[in-house]
Amino acid sequence: MAELFRFPNPVNEVSARLVAGGVVVLCAATLVFDQPLLLVPLAYGFVARVLTGPTLSPLGRLVTEVVTPRLPVDGKLVAGAPKRFAQGIGATLSLTATVLHFGFGAAGAADILVAAILVAATLESVFGFCLGCTIFAVLMRVHVIPESVCEECNDIWSRNSIAA
């Protein structure tokens, strides 16, 4: 059971960007076609990825098991903790949007949160700029996130050297 609820560290940046691309498509479809029911798979995907990485996320599994292995590019390993933090932000925003829309009838507020996810996911998928990772780094600098997490992030470089 502990193996199920673990987030990968390091994370393949190529896969992370492809998952973000899927999130862009889902958010855009939610907003453009006014399909609030798409909030459910959006929120589920984020929660699943926070809890288990790609294991319980259909989008995560598709990307990591089917799409990424078939691409003619090498993976780029990045620290898992900032990516998990970013997924946590997505989970918070998407769950809040779902509750706002279905629980309170606040469709406009829900759409604003989905638009925020859309912007962040677009930055990640198109430009490789992880907004959640940037927030994570700032929180580490101001010591909100403990140094032990930073040491774990830095540890991926020693693991990569050993693997090479």
Side-chain angles (χ1 to χ4, degrees):
M1 189 61 120
E3 186 67 22
L4 175 65
F5 291 102
R6 72 171 190 80
F7 194 87
N9 188 33
V11 170
N12 183 341
E13 177 78 9
V14 173
S15 293
R17 289 179 71 176
L18 289 169
V19 168
V23 169
V24 167
V25 171
L26 194 52
C27 287
T30 302
L31 296 172
V32 171
F33 300 117
D34 190 25
Q35 293 297 312
L37 283 176
L38 292 177
L39 290 170
V40 175
L42 180 68
Y44 170 79
F46 276 114
V47 171
R49 288 187 297 275
V50 167
L51 294 176
T52 68
T55 305
L56 295 179
S57 164
L59 178 58
R61 301 258 334 230
L62 174 69
V63 165
T64 59
E65 295 176 12
V66 178
V67 179
T68 303
R70 288 170 173 73
L71 292 177
V73 296
D74 292 330
K76 176 185 173 195
L77 299 180
V78 296
K83 294 295 186 187
R84 186 177 210 174
F85 180 80
Q87 292 293 320
I89 293 171
T92 302
L93 293 177
S94 61
L95 285 170
T96 303
T98 304
V99 170
L100 284 171
H101 184 85
F102 294 109
F104 297 99
D111 286 349
I112 290 169
L113 295 177
V114 173
I117 297 168
L118 176 65
V119 169
T122 300
L123 288 171
E124 170 79 10
S125 65
V126 175
F127 302 107
F129 177 77
C130 177
L131 186 58
C133 300
T134 302
I135 294 168
F136 184 90
V138 169
L139 292 174
M140 288 194 75
R141 266 186 241 129
V142 297
H143 306 290
V144 172
I145 296 175
E147 285 185 34
S148 61
V149 175
C150 184
E151 291 165 8
E152 181 180 320
C153 290
N154 289 333
D155 186 47
I156 69 166
W157 306 119
S158 63
R159 277 187 269 162
N160 288 343
S161 299
I162 292 169

